[in-house]
Amino acid sequence: MIREILFVFFLIFNINLFGQVFDSCRFEVDYKYGDHEFNVVNMKNDGLILFRKEKRFFEGRQKPWQIIVLDTFLNKKNEITIHAEFEYHLLGYEYKKGFFFMLFSDGYFSDSNYYIYKINLETAESEIHSITNEIELDLSHFLIIENQVILGGKIKNRPTIVHFDLNTDMIQVLPGFYRDDTDLVNLKENKNGSFNVLFLEKEHGTRANILNLKVFNSQGTLLMESTSKLPEEYRVLSGNTNKLEYSDLIVSGTYSERNNKLSQGLYYINMRPGDENPVKFIPYTNLSNFFSHLGERRESRIKEKIRQSTTEKPFEFKTSFVVWEINETPEHYEIFGEVIDPQYDPSYNQRVANRNYGNPYYNDPRNFESLSRYYQTTHSLLNNDYLVSIKFRGANLIVINKEGSFENDYSMTIKEKDKTIMEKVSSYYYSNNGAHFFYKDEEEIFHAFRDS
């Protein structure tokens, strides 16, 4: 039985005129029972990449992968087939300036080797680079910058950053990370071709969390280092950075009280060189529209509790919130994330103890075939058990000014959206008139506009 998959891509030329109706384009491909679904990679002004593993065909011990390249009007520009060994597992993928990169491993274990496929989307030529994993890196983060591969993870529970040059096939381990009581939080490329490594340290002799940000150029040379210490009563749950579009690098994420696994708000740090970088906290109770995903009645009750709250007896709201993006304009920062409800199986951690492959949000071996990306991953100290599924509850945009003070927030309810891997399911566009939110469920695209 054959049915069709429909891919829809809206060409929005002026988002401020979103009330108008715009033309849409579509691309169709036959889908047969048992086929893998396509993964979609947004190349922005260059169009889209659709790719999937072919399920029904083998060539010796190799399995083909189908890659379709579309322009912005969803016209097919190219169709490419690459072949990977049967035992290879796709770990990540990136698009960079006409090239598509795919990261494979040859096993589920910390000593598995890595393979980078670099595919020219115009000529269909490809090259394969192998990375022998002699240091047994448990991979959690992956970036491609100017033909350089950046791998982040852990060796014997200590954070490690590996730099691999595709021009020379030379490998180096960046110094300054292999420490006890330290966690890799985030790996992010900047607009100028440098990259940020955000990691969390525990101050010796205290319970304080120290966030440390190091900025490197694409060759792995250290450009800047900055630190900030949180008060002892607070615990960092996640962290993300902006992309250095202007002059400042900021870090924002979620925090909780010392032993609480649910976050109670966002923190904000302007990370300037040195260690004198103060932290600002934005509790969820300071936001205007954060609770809309709970429904009108519960939102009303929570807001009433906030109004009745006092300094001596404050009301605190706690939830699981993931910061996916920090975007910068000349006037403000836009912090975008999603409220989630993670479901854990406490017994699963023991059943797969010998197959542990890093951050359980991203690296549960059951999820490899779903093509989870090592891309803008979010750190969390609460992941002691293996994730079974995630229920997505709402999308939220928090706008803060350049001094770190709250300006406005917007939200959209996400209905009946469950996944087995931790990845962003919605997106947004912000203008002076308000925020547009989007998410896709099956073949339906949902849109919501929230004005100021």
Side-chain angles (χ1 to χ4, degrees), residues 347-364:
S347 65
Y348 186 76
N349 191 36
Q350 296 301 318
R351 297 200 302 271
V352 298
N354 295 327
R355 300 172 67 192
N356 185 18
Y357 205 86
N359 186 334
Y361 259 170
Y362 292 86
N363 307 330
D364 184 336

Side-chain angles (χ1 to χ4, degrees), residues 97-206:
K97 299 177 182 178
F99 292 89
F100 186 48
F101 296 85
M102 302 175 73
L103 172 66
F104 293 89
S105 74
D106 58 11
Y108 290 121
F109 306 100
S110 60
D111 61 351
S112 300
N113 296 316
Y114 303 117
Y115 303 88
I116 301 287
Y117 283 60
K118 179 182 177 181
I119 304 150
N120 187 316
L121 296 180
E122 182 176 352
T123 66
E125 296 176 345
S126 63
E127 56 187 63
I128 305 173
H129 300 261
S130 61
I131 304 176
T132 302
N133 188 12
E134 296 178 351
I135 58 177
E136 298 190 12
L137 175 70
D138 283 326
L139 188 66
S140 61
H141 296 73
F142 162 62
L143 284 179
I144 297 285
I145 304 175
E146 297 179 359
N147 224 32
Q148 314 295 314
V149 180
I150 316 299
L151 304 177
K154 286 189 174 184
I155 300 175
K156 296 180 179 178
N157 211 35
R158 294 175 179 174
T160 304
I161 305 296
V162 174
H163 179 279
F164 183 79
D165 190 334
L166 292 176
N167 299 312
T168 63
D169 283 351
M170 296 294 293
I171 190 170
Q172 63 172 320
V173 176
L174 301 187
F177 298 101
Y178 191 69
R179 308 176 187 176
D180 291 323
D181 297 323
T182 305
D183 275 294
L184 177 61
V185 176
N186 202 273
L187 199 60
K188 176 69 67 68
E189 179 184 3
N190 291 315
K191 290 288 187 179
N192 62 4
S194 63
F195 65 94
N196 307 325
V197 182
L198 181 65
F199 59 101
L200 183 69
E201 302 177 82
K202 296 179 183 177
E203 186 178 51
H204 295 296
T206 73

Side-chain angles (χ1 to χ4, degrees), residues 234-250:
Y234 292 126
R235 177 191 191 198
V236 172
L237 293 180
S238 67
N240 210 327
T241 71
N242 63 327
K243 297 181 179 180
L244 198 56
E245 296 180 66
Y246 296 95
S247 58
D248 289 332
L249 265 175
I250 74 162

